Amino acid sequence: MPPETLLKICLPCAEISPLVKTGGLADVTANLADHFVQSGHDCRVLTPLHGGIDTSELEIDDLPGLQDLELQLGGRSFKYSIGRASLPGKGTVVHLLRCPQLFSGKSLYGGPDEHLRFILLCRAAIEMCQRQQFAPDVFHCHDWHTALLPVYLKTRYAWDQLFAASRSVLTIHNIAFQGVYSGGILYEMGLSDSQDMLDQDDLNCDRVNFLKTGVLHADLLSTVSPTYAREILEPQYGMGLEGHLRDRQHKLVGILNGVDYQEWNPETDPLIFQPYSPGQMEGKEPNKEALAEELGLVYTFDRPMVAMVTPLTYQSGIELVQQVMPELLKSRAFSLVVLGQGEPHHERFCQWMHNQYPDRVSYHREFSHTLLHRIQAGSDLLLMPSRYEPCGLNQMYSLRYGTVPVVRATGGLADSVQHFDAKRGTGTGVVFHDFDANGLRWAVNTALDLYANKYAWRLVRFNGMEQDFSWEEQGERYIKRFRSLL
Ligand code: GLC
């Protein structure tokens, strides 16, 4: 690529794998940053170094000129410094924002200072660029945590010619989380003089909404699948932002997330029991046997293993599982493993299933990366009956692992899984449409029947393993959109 076409990108984010991860956002920021850097772009990530991060594996270089800086937020003054370190694993270099006053706690979200943490993150990203005399072509923001950055560029930092040609992009990973606070924080935001830039209805209700502010001001809006980009224009999915998104529809694109196939490849995965590939599927069954043993389940050849890996929340459709799983466990022969935590009554339900069927159902509350890999390799079916799903990553991992996804047709699930058509031999999974018990019951029964039909089963698995959601392609779509802004 000729050097003049390489871009300068500043990518502030709350989470990045493997440093901090509460959800798929962290994987996507890590993979995107890695893709941008590998493609030769100058991508500077800024992410908070909060108290929960294990720094033992990090070698942090304190950057000269970026130490003991001060920022006034409302009546208080905050000291912060910026260092640089390679992420364990890939080695992508990231900038780390250190501010013990705000980020010393174990958890990144919540608490009375939450808004201050992310105001600081946005402003520190801009001020880091100023001090490095780095003029990004694009500030690539992610979710509500960094959604204020576009409005800061247009207000507090509008004077700085360094950013005269900079454009801002806001990627929405989950519209349900918006960062909504009382109007009282305007002073701390430093936007008391720019109230006209905020949503007036919110201000009248004494509210500010970080994500909405980003939707109003970013030069480009993106979300993590084409279907979700359409869905969030409707009240059912837009969580109150549908009107604002419709007003800026011409600026909204959907780009499906990608998969890091260096990590997610059953031929080379060091975490699984035995490697396998589309041409050598004999290796998969021993993974199921080993998984069953690890989970304390009874292994029976020909009994499918169904997996669910998801936060047990409103989004995931766990309530449908709650409605149909008891009768399915009674009437059909399969094992079930659930990995995820969430609302207490859903957790209790998973525990209850385990108590009822201790040798067929296993429930793990604590997330484990290793276990996730083993579940992907050792399961036959992956259940994702999501109420909504901006993209979803596990169904893409499971396709590569020959674990057939059973999904509801929404968001990225609709864009990454096609319903298997036995006549034509096409399709990669089982897809249902209606978000209700009948829909899920039909889907699970269909999938279990498919498993019993050896010929069809081989085909659907093979089709899935052939899918390619690599970042090379998806990351380039971002770059193309960035260039179109310049
Ligand atoms: C959020 C969404 C998920 C998406 C991920 C990464 O966690 O809920 O669907 O895959 O962000 O974009």
Side-chain angles (χ1 to χ4, degrees):
M1 200 185 309
E4 63 272 18
T5 63
L6 294 175
L7 300 180
K8 288 186 281 203
I9 301 163
C10 175
L11 195 160
C13 56
E15 301 188 17
I16 191 160
S17 290
L19 287 192
V20 211
K21 172 170 168 172
T22 67
L25 166 68
D27 289 345
V28 174
T29 51
N31 289 328
L32 265 179
D34 183 49
H35 174 80
F36 293 155
V37 171
Q38 293 302 324
S39 315
H41 305 289
D42 188 349
C43 174
R44 304 195 187 175
V45 172
L46 182 68
T47 198
L49 187 68
H50 80 88
I53 294 181
D54 173 14
T55 47
S56 62
E57 272 191 68
L58 291 177
E59 251 177 66
I60 306 175
D61 292 334
D62 291 335
L63 292 173
L66 291 173
Q67 302 306 304
D68 296 320
L69 307 178
E70 218 169 298
L71 193 65
Q72 189 78 20
L73 302 181
R76 288 156 76 190
S77 159
F78 295 90
K79 269 221 163 101
Y80 70 97
S81 301
I82 292 178
R84 202 163 50 188
S86 298
L87 290 180
K90 295 245 164 199
T92 314
V93 173
V94 297
H95 291 75
L96 298 168
L97 170 62
R98 209 194 311 244
C99 175
Q101 275 167 287
L102 288 176
F103 289 110
S104 58
K106 282 266 172 248
S107 87
L108 182 56
Y109 303 117
D113 286 341
E114 185 186 56
H115 62 290
L116 292 172
R117 269 178 239 144
F118 296 109
I119 291 170
L120 176 70
L121 178 59
C122 292
R123 296 192 53 183
I126 297 174
E127 299 199 5
M128 170 180 90
C129 294
Q130 289 179 315
R131 286 170 199 268
Q132 295 183 328
Q133 278 300 296
F134 178 68
D137 296 304
V138 168
F139 283 93
H140 189 185
C141 309
H142 295 266
D143 274 350
W144 70 267
H145 326 116
T146 49
L148 287 183
L149 194 147
V151 78
Y152 281 131
L153 286 179
K154 291 183 180 175
T155 54
R156 290 203 74 99
Y157 300 92
W159 60 270
D160 195 340
Q161 283 309 303
L162 184 67
F163 305 126
S166 298
R167 298 289 174 266
S168 60
V169 176
L170 171 63
T171 295
I172 300 171
H173 297 260
N174 193 334
I175 208 166
F177 302 97
Q178 302 183 357
V180 180
Y181 302 98
S182 94
I185 72 161
L186 264 179
Y187 176 47
E188 290 165 307
M189 289 167 82
L191 294 177
S192 307
D193 301 338
S194 313
Q195 299 198 20
D196 54 318
M197 302 294 272
L198 300 174
D199 181 70
Q200 297 304 303
D201 292 336
D202 277 343
L203 289 182
N204 290 335
C205 302
D206 194 31
R207 266 198 315 253
V208 287
N209 179 322
F210 284 20
L211 188 66
K212 192 188 287 182
T213 308
V215 165
L216 292 174
H217 294 290
D219 295 307
L220 179 74
L221 301 166
S222 85
T223 185
V224 288
S225 69
T227 295
Y228 195 59
R230 286 191 298 276
E231 286 174 341
I232 54 179
L233 301 175
E234 303 301 327
Q236 190 192 343
Y237 293 98
M239 308 268 178
L241 299 192
E242 59 277 2
H244 299 86
L245 287 164
R246 248 181 274 134
D247 290 343
R248 304 206 65 217
Q249 198 173 342
H250 57 294
K251 295 279 181 200
L252 173 65
V253 294
I255 301 176
L256 197 68
N257 286 332
V259 174
D260 174 0
Y261 287 121
Q262 275 182 26
E263 178 185 350
W264 293 102
N265 178 358
E267 282 179 66
T268 53
D269 189 337
L271 300 173
I272 68 176
F273 184 69
Q274 193 165 315
Y276 59 96
S277 63
Q280 280 184 319
M281 286 302 281
E282 319 77 71
K284 186 160 166 79
E285 193 66 19
N287 280 293
K288 177 154 85 181
E289 203 172 341
L291 176 68
E293 191 180 330
E294 183 173 343
L295 299 175
L297 300 178
V298 169
Y299 167 77
T300 314
F301 179 73
D302 262 3
R303 183 198 278 170
M305 174 80 82
V306 179
M308 210 177 154
V309 181
T310 177
L312 303 175
T313 58
Y314 177 81
Q315 172 181 351
S316 67
I318 177 72
E319 65 196 77
L320 295 187
V321 176
Q322 203 152 339
Q323 286 170 42
V324 304
M325 207 38 93
E327 69 187 64
L328 284 168
L329 279 165
K330 229 185 246 170
S331 62
R332 311 240 9 190
F334 62 93
S335 304
L336 176 69
V337 49
V338 182
L339 173 64
Q341 50 184 283
E343 283 151 35
H345 63 288
H346 294 318
E347 292 183 0
R348 277 199 298 276
F349 165 69
C350 294
Q351 196 53 48
W352 174 84
M353 285 194 293
H354 166 70
N355 296 342
Q356 292 293 306
Y357 300 94
D359 49 6
R360 282 174 63 200
V361 180
S362 168
Y363 172 49
H364 285 256
R365 193 177 174 278
E366 294 314 317
F367 180 78
S368 150
H369 193 65
T370 304
L371 185 59
L372 175 57
H373 277 252
R374 294 184 178 162
I375 288 175
Q376 286 288 8
S379 303
D380 298 294
L381 295 164
L382 178 89
L383 216 52
M384 286 185 79
S386 306
R387 183 187 290 273
Y388 69 93
E389 196 63 71
C391 177
L393 297 168
N394 278 306
Q395 82 282 7
M396 300 203 271
Y397 305 153
S398 84
L399 285 168
R400 184 49 61 105
Y401 279 63
T403 299
V404 175
V406 179
V407 306
R408 191 171 91 81
T410 182
L413 300 174
D415 294 335
S416 57
V417 182
Q418 292 83 42
H419 187 65
F420 181 69
D421 178 334
K423 275 203 196 98
R424 293 189 297 157
T426 57
T428 55
V430 174
V431 180
F432 71 103
H433 289 264
D434 296 334
F435 186 80
D436 57 27
N438 281 336
L440 180 60
R441 190 182 297 114
W442 172 85
V444 175
N445 278 317
T446 302
L448 294 171
D449 293 346
L450 191 59
Y451 176 85
N453 175 343
K454 292 296 167 226
Y455 175 74
W457 185 249
R458 268 202 296 274
L459 207 54
V460 66
R461 248 179 7 182
F462 180 79
N463 291 347
M465 293 177 89
E466 294 287 289
Q467 300 292 303
D468 184 358
F469 300 105
S470 59
W471 272 110
E472 283 74 62
E473 213 167 288
Q474 302 313 104
E476 273 322 288
R477 290 179 203 259
Y478 280 94
I479 295 294
K480 224 189 244 161
R481 290 292 178 170
F482 293 171
R483 288 208 172 106
S484 73
L485 291 173
L486 307 178

